[in-house]
Amino acid sequence: GIRDQPRSRGLGDVYKRQHGDYHLGQLLIDQSDQTLHVIDFEGEPRRTLAERRKKTSIFKDLAGMSRSFEYLCHRPENSETQVKATDLTRAFLTAYTESAYGQCFYPDAKGEAESLLTTFMLDKAIYELAYEAQHRPDWLDAPLTAVETFLSRTKVGRKKPYANRIREFELKIKLRSIRSNLDLNPFSGIARRVDSAIRKDFQVYSF
């Protein structure tokens, strides 16, 4: 069900139950009638039960699937494909927007939708960074590239609080260290504790 009162209507978000770990691996296609089935609704395995049960924005699942397209195209074995992750993401989000626009859980303004998507995409990439460090260190490059790309697009200006500018600078240094160690030894485990460290850095950000 949907809350009667959204926590922040300024962000256009009425919170509801989400899949929580929505990506390509959670989709099954029935070839007999070409129907799509979604599986595994338990949420992200590294999250606490309370976090997984919590109602949130639909952009959490939209970001999850969008990041999945990035993974699909980032793998070396898919490097020759003519389809780009940005094309897949654009087609996916366009189709969703056409169906969801005007609903109470979808923002009216394009800028609000883009802001929410960016926020949840970053949150997902940070989650992935810690997950891959612990379970699949040879896959670390995909989320690490995503976080680095976000930071490269973020301009540190005078309007941003001083504490935020310092945190951003420190985070870039951390990621540079992770990248250096990853290049030297992908299995070094250098980022095992990056989840809590980076999340703490981003708590002061205003998106």
Side-chain angles (χ1 to χ4, degrees):
I2 300 175
R3 288 185 182 179
D4 294 330
Q5 296 294 329
R7 185 177 67 175
S8 179
R9 191 64 183 93
L11 286 177
D13 54 346
V14 174
Y15 295 153
K16 54 188 294 190
R17 299 289 183 199
Q18 304 300 325
H19 182 283
D21 192 21
Y22 193 51
H23 56 77
L24 291 170
Q26 310 287 33
L27 304 181
L28 297 177
I29 299 177
D30 188 338
Q31 297 290 349
S32 64
D33 57 3
Q34 292 298 302
T35 54
L36 185 68
H37 302 272
V38 182
I39 62 174
D40 294 345
F41 285 81
E42 69 269 21
E44 294 168 320
R46 284 178 57 87
R47 305 285 190 188
T48 64
L49 182 59
E51 287 177 314
R52 287 185 258 176
R53 289 172 53 87
K54 188 177 181 180
K55 294 180 181 180
T56 186
S57 168
I58 50 93
F59 282 88
K60 178 177 178 62
D61 281 352
L62 296 183
M65 184 58 70
S66 299
R67 286 292 306 140
S68 188
F69 295 142
E70 291 285 348
Y71 263 72
L72 177 67
C73 297
H74 194 86
R75 298 297 296 163
E77 60 267 27
N78 297 326
S79 60
E80 300 299 321
T81 182
Q82 298 298 311
V83 179
K84 296 181 179 180
T86 51
D87 297 330
L88 294 173
T89 299
R90 186 181 301 110
F92 168 68
L93 294 176
T94 297
Y96 187 90
T97 301
E98 290 175 352
S99 298
Y101 188 78
Q103 301 295 322
C104 62
F105 56 82
Y106 196 87
D108 298 326
K110 181 180 179 181
E112 292 178 3
E114 293 176 346
S115 178
L116 283 165
L117 181 64
T118 297
T119 300
F120 280 96
M121 288 274 279
L122 175 62
D123 182 72
K124 185 66 174 179
I126 292 172
Y127 173 90
E128 293 165 350
L129 191 57
Y131 182 90
E132 304 301 8
Q134 183 173 357
H135 300 285
R136 300 181 299 193
D138 55 327
W139 285 39
L140 262 174
D141 189 63
L144 185 56
T145 298
V147 177
E148 289 173 333
T149 298
F150 172 84
L151 288 175
S152 69
R153 294 175 179 173
T154 303
K155 296 181 179 180
V156 181
R158 292 185 178 278
K159 292 184 179 180
K160 185 177 294 186
Y162 179 75
N164 289 17
R165 303 205 304 270
I166 294 298
R167 286 286 180 87
E168 183 172 314
F169 175 76
E170 291 175 344
L171 179 56
K172 288 181 178 180
I173 296 299
K174 286 181 182 179
L175 291 178
R176 192 173 304 158
S177 174
I178 293 172
R179 171 68 74 183
S180 298
N181 283 275
L182 179 61
D183 291 340
L184 292 174
N185 181 5
F187 298 93
S188 64
I190 187 67
R192 284 187 183 277
R193 293 184 297 276
V194 74
D195 185 45
S196 59
I198 293 184
R199 284 185 188 284
K200 183 178 179 181
D201 286 326
F202 274 96
Q203 285 177 354
V204 297
Y205 274 62
S206 297
F207 295 96

